[in-house]
Amino acid sequence: MYKIMSRETLVPNNHLFKIEAPAVARKACAGQFVVIMIDDKGERIPLTIADWDREEGSITIVFMEVGVTTRKLAQLKTGDSIANFIGPLGEPSHIEKFGTVVCVGGGVGVAPIFPIARALKEAGNKIISIIGTRSKDLLFWEDRVREVSDSLTVTTDDGSYGRKALVTEPLKELLEGAEKIDRVVAIGPAIMMKFCAKTTEPFAVPTTVSLNPIMVDGTGMCGCCRVEVGGETKFTCVDGPEFDGHLVDWDLLFARQRIYIDEEKHAMECACGEVASHG
Ligand code: FAD
Ligand code: FES
Ligand code: MG
């Protein structure tokens, strides 16, 4: 069992859990993820490692409540335990001295972009960060991202904080500007990553995205997480999750993300019914 050492609601529907998992913490690197199971009957879901503390033996995850499992997870309290916490999985981020790197985080993607920006900064890169959410009340970790960045632009879709824009607008301006951009890393909803990749493509700036297809085993056995990159089939859990954004077949990813949408809706309706009948 893996104990929840502490928990915090960062913004509505987005929660941070610190989990006691010394073996995972010992090996965790930026860009990797864990697969968790709340209890023996629960489904497996992947969540990115947002931070770790090797001494304390803890892993930090940040997740958004979107369906039955994330909702169940959000109801757990400090001191509760989860049945399974497998990781670190996936390939670590490619970290080296590229020069100037733009790190783009959207929504809950702000959490996974943080350790990558930190590792790239430690490797001697100049880090220009752009983080965006729909509105001010959904923004978290501005301070943490700022700490590891040479400059930071915050955008909100509705203009309630920072600049009223999508993250692709300041990204395009940077690409058009005088400073040479050597690399872009974008993490967030698939649609945001697609448009970041489309924005950088004409400028031929290498662009890394972290794909989020449905996963089951997380170890390359089931094929559920298959994506197409550069015309080749890849398994996101073992070949990724990071890929060249210019080569991803985005339409296939969108279609496969929605493959169980009816079952997910049904599960949610059943779960809501259960809550209503119990309480
Ligand atoms: P459901 O109602 O079951 O599903 C809602 C949507 O979530 C689905 O339509 C589907 O697109 C996606 N989803 C459902 N089941 C899975 C699954 N087994 N694997 C992947 N996606 C699924 N979310 C975060 O909030 N924080 C993270 O740090 C994070 N990291 C991720 C890292 C990776 C490598 C991947 C692949 C996904 C990550 N996700 C993260 C997405 C997260 O796994 C899903 O939001 C979660 O599984 C939804 O489960 P649910 O039962 O609550 O929702
Ligand atoms: Fe099963 Fe990747 S999740 S092969
Ligand atoms: Mg689910």
Side-chain angles (χ1 to χ4, degrees), residues 31-82:
Q32 292 185 295
F33 64 94
V34 290
V35 166
I36 71 148
M37 260 176 82
I38 298 180
D39 52 45
D40 293 348
K41 294 192 190 98
E43 64 175 350
R44 302 158 69 98
I45 64 159
L47 295 170
T48 306
I49 296 173
D51 207 355
W52 58 88
D53 185 328
R54 296 198 210 284
E55 261 175 45
E56 190 180 54
S58 69
I59 293 285
T60 298
I61 50 172
V62 174
F63 64 94
M64 187 193 284
E65 276 182 65
V66 292
V68 169
T69 302
T70 47
R71 189 179 265 202
K72 252 190 180 172
L73 190 61
Q75 283 160 5
L76 299 181
K77 300 182 182 59
T78 300
D80 288 346
S81 293
I82 56 178

Side-chain angles (χ1 to χ4, degrees), residues 214-225 235-238:
I214 291 178
M215 291 187 177
V216 180
D217 67 310
T219 58
M221 309 279 278
C222 68
C224 189
C225 66
F235 287 176
T236 307
C237 64
V238 286

